[in-house]
Amino acid sequence: MSIPTSSNTLKAGLGIVGFGTVGQGVWKHLAATKKNMENRLGVKIELIGVCVRNPDRQREVRIPRTAIHTDPCKLVDDPRVNIVCELMGGTTLAREVTLRALRLGKVVVSANKALVCEHGAEIFKTVSKCGGQYFFEASVAGGIPIIKSLREGLVANRFSEIAGIINGTCNYLLTRMEKEGLSYETVLKDARRLGYVEADESLDLDGVDAYHKAVILAFLAHGKWVPRKNTLVEGIRAVTLEDIQRALDFGYRIKHVAVIRRDFAKGHMTLGVYPALIPLDKVLARVDGVYNGISLTGDVVGTTTLVGRGAGQDATASAVIGDIVDAIRTLKGAAFKFLTRTDLDFYTALGQTMRMATPDEIQSQFYLRFSLRDESGVSAEVYRILAEEKISVARVIQYEHAGTRRGTHTLSTYPVSEASMERALRKLRKLRTVLETPLVLRILSPEN
Ligand code: NDP
Ligand code: HSE
């Protein structure tokens, strides 16, 4: 589909499916800059309609009642709509809407990371077959143009490590817990009010949203759709204020991170999302609040770190509007084409050059926190188990709890395999003198 011309005016007709936090933000900012945008692009931009579940809901951004629909397919099918913005979330109806629009040759813009992660292969194939286009910049890291960076600006590189903070909600929670000593529940209420949290908040809190985003980055960097079973996905529910403080005592800050590593010599890669300790002098340790930060280590560029707001109405709208502009340029035949057959062939070939690493092959540095009954010889038992698994301890701090017969021990290790740590933990959990399930976090030391 291309932009229709009437009376010499090119028209871009937008159909916005989902008019919640992101959808309203997009139209609010686009309407405010519409004239400039139209002059710049030489196109008339028209909002043909929006689609919502409840048309009677009071909304922050007002549009004529006649432009509000409840059937996404009808809006997608409207011949005046040539750009469909899928901003509703979910993976069932959103998939249907997306494929329908692409099969009609329309351009689709999306912020839906769950959809790209779970159905990206099918969507990208449909794009290459039907000649439409699919833009999804807002699906990863909010306002940071990370997808454009990977597919355009950093295209010369092979990436040995992509490590970053890619869930704004988790970062916002951990930051305010640390800086203000607030409880998890108190901060979560603010995150909801500010529009950072997914409709299903467990996606944020259990690490699944970060996993969705990491899978997208891994595909763009390595051509592989990494299945969940090959990854480590942990959220932040187990992290306490005490852990945040203990990590600081060690010279680290706890952040929820995604880490994608590729070992070119051994031909394998890893993908994990989890709370990790980052040395205080690293850039990522100072990325706070709703900000995201992604550190990419490429063989040509070295390490580049991008930082910006990772969630919320405005940052996300910025990314979606950038995609709408690309969509308009595509319709005018003036944009760089992505997801062509040759692009997909390239990714397939790239993905076939490697496998996922096994736990024996993954080396990590760990932080452990465990409580021990105050009896002679109990620490020795723990160190014996660690030694059996060839786990070398780098640093230990022990905290006494006055008036109780227990002590908290925190320690950091030198790099050791994930498999060794798992075996050691199984043994530790069986010790009568270990009072609670030990907390294990990884230590991440990015290049900068
Ligand atoms: P909201 O819940 O605020 O908005 C969702 C919108 O979709 C609402 O307008 C809702 O209608 C509409 N909708 C949902 N289901 C249907 C349906 N079955 N039929 C018609 N309309 C429907 O979500 P967000 O705006 O926060 O998120 C939208 C997408 O953007 C998601 O994929 C999310 O992951 C992604 N995203 C969100 C970010 C954020 O910071 N919030 C950042 C980056 C990406 P109604 O209003 O009537 O309920
Ligand atoms: N819930 C997501 C987050 C929104 O907090 O990062 C941005 O993708």
Side-chain angles (χ1 to χ4, degrees), residues 238-256:
V239 178
T240 63
L241 273 173
E242 187 189 348
D243 292 314
I244 292 172
Q245 191 51 54
R246 301 282 179 252
L248 287 170
D249 295 347
F250 265 76
Y252 296 101
R253 181 161 279 131
I254 299 183
K255 295 286 180 190
H256 189 265

Side-chain angles (χ1 to χ4, degrees), residues 272-378:
V273 303
Y274 40 76
L277 278 72
I278 304 181
L280 289 169
D281 61 344
K282 299 288 178 186
V283 176
L284 290 184
R286 286 174 273 126
V287 172
D288 283 339
V290 76
Y291 278 71
N292 283 187
I294 307 179
S295 209
L296 306 106
T297 302
D299 54 350
V300 184
V301 74
T303 299
T304 294
T305 304
L306 304 169
V307 176
R309 277 192 290 161
Q313 188 173 68
D314 296 338
T316 314
S318 166
V320 174
I321 293 170
D323 277 355
I324 292 173
V325 169
D326 272 352
I328 292 172
R329 292 199 164 117
T330 301
L331 292 170
K332 288 181 76 180
F336 151 86
K337 274 259 176 193
F338 182 55
L339 302 179
T340 58
R341 188 166 303 243
T342 53
D343 273 325
L344 295 191
D345 287 349
F346 164 78
Y347 284 123
T348 306
L350 184 63
Q352 281 166 353
T353 61
M354 117 208 84
R355 62 182 172 81
M356 299 307 290
T358 63
D360 275 314
E361 293 170 315
I362 307 172
Q363 294 281 311
S364 303
Q365 246 187 298
F366 290 93
Y367 160 92
L368 258 75
R369 188 248 299 147
F370 48 90
S371 290
L372 290 183
R373 198 183 296 259
D374 180 16
E375 283 174 20
S376 69
V378 289

Side-chain angles (χ1 to χ4, degrees), residues 113 138-139 141-142 166-170 196-198 204 209 213 292 310-312 316:
K113 47 269 164 134
S139 66
I166 54 176
N167 184 272
T169 301
C170 287
Y196 301 159
V197 186
E198 295 299 308
D204 292 304
D209 177 77
K213 293 166 175 167
N292 283 187
T316 314

Side-chain angles (χ1 to χ4, degrees), residues 118-314:
E118 287 176 25
H119 299 288
E122 183 186 24
I123 292 171
F124 291 2
K125 216 168 165 184
T126 309
V127 173
S128 85
K129 244 167 89 186
C130 300
Q133 195 55 271
Y134 187 66
F135 295 103
F136 49 101
E137 184 61 68
S139 66
V140 184
I144 302 175
I146 182 65
I147 289 173
K148 242 184 190 187
S149 300
L150 277 171
R151 65 170 211 219
E152 296 176 33
L154 297 173
V155 75
N157 293 273
R158 299 191 311 162
F159 297 95
S160 51
E161 182 169 291
I162 300 177
I165 297 164
I166 54 176
N167 184 272
T169 301
C170 287
N171 205 37
Y172 180 78
L173 284 162
L174 291 173
T175 303
R176 290 199 60 201
M177 283 166 72
E178 178 199 319
K179 309 249 185 245
E180 300 170 54
L182 294 171
S183 74
Y184 183 89
E185 288 76 19
T186 309
V187 190
L188 184 55
K189 277 190 200 135
D190 284 346
R192 283 190 201 115
R193 182 177 50 75
L194 291 163
Y196 301 159
V197 186
E198 295 299 308
D200 171 0
E201 65 191 32
S202 68
L203 293 175
D204 292 304
L205 304 176
D206 296 324
V208 181
D209 177 77
Y211 161 75
H212 289 151
K213 293 166 175 167
V215 167
I216 297 171
L217 296 181
F219 177 78
L220 293 172
H222 305 301
K224 213 174 183 68
W225 292 107
V226 179
R228 177 92 180 256
K229 66 176 165 46
N230 291 126
T231 62
L232 174 72
V233 179
E234 286 176 5
I236 57 165
R237 292 190 208 253
V239 178
T240 63
L241 273 173
E242 187 189 348
D243 292 314
I244 292 172
Q245 191 51 54
R246 301 282 179 252
L248 287 170
D249 295 347
F250 265 76
Y252 296 101
R253 181 161 279 131
I254 299 183
K255 295 286 180 190
H256 189 265
V257 296
V259 183
I260 303 159
R261 289 202 182 100
R262 181 164 175 185
D263 186 322
F264 292 99
K266 295 186 179 135
H268 61 59
M269 69 176 280
T270 60
L271 184 153
V273 303
Y274 40 76
L277 278 72
I278 304 181
L280 289 169
D281 61 344
K282 299 288 178 186
V283 176
L284 290 184
R286 286 174 273 126
V287 172
D288 283 339
V290 76
Y291 278 71
N292 283 187
I294 307 179
S295 209
L296 306 106
T297 302
D299 54 350
V300 184
V301 74
T303 299
T304 294
T305 304
L306 304 169
V307 176
R309 277 192 290 161
Q313 188 173 68
D314 296 338

Side-chain angles (χ1 to χ4, degrees), residues 429-447:
R429 284 189 204 110
K430 285 188 193 147
L431 285 185
R432 182 188 55 84
T433 46
V434 173
L435 297 175
E436 298 151 13
T437 308
L439 177 82
V440 186
L441 299 176
R442 285 153 190 82
I443 296 174
L444 173 70
S445 285
E447 253 333 276

Side-chain angles (χ1 to χ4, degrees), residues 17-24 51-55 57 59 69-72 86-90 93 110-114 138-140 142 194-199 209 213 310-313 316:
V17 181
F19 207 56
T21 304
V22 180
Q24 292 183 80
C51 192
V52 295
R53 229 174 344 212
N54 177 2
R57 175 173 293 169
R59 293 180 198 269
H69 307 267
T70 52
D71 181 352
E86 187 278 288
L87 305 173
M88 73 197 298
L93 188 55
S110 175
N112 192 338
K113 47 269 164 134
S139 66
V140 184
L194 291 163
Y196 301 159
V197 186
E198 295 299 308
D209 177 77
K213 293 166 175 167
Q313 188 173 68
T316 314

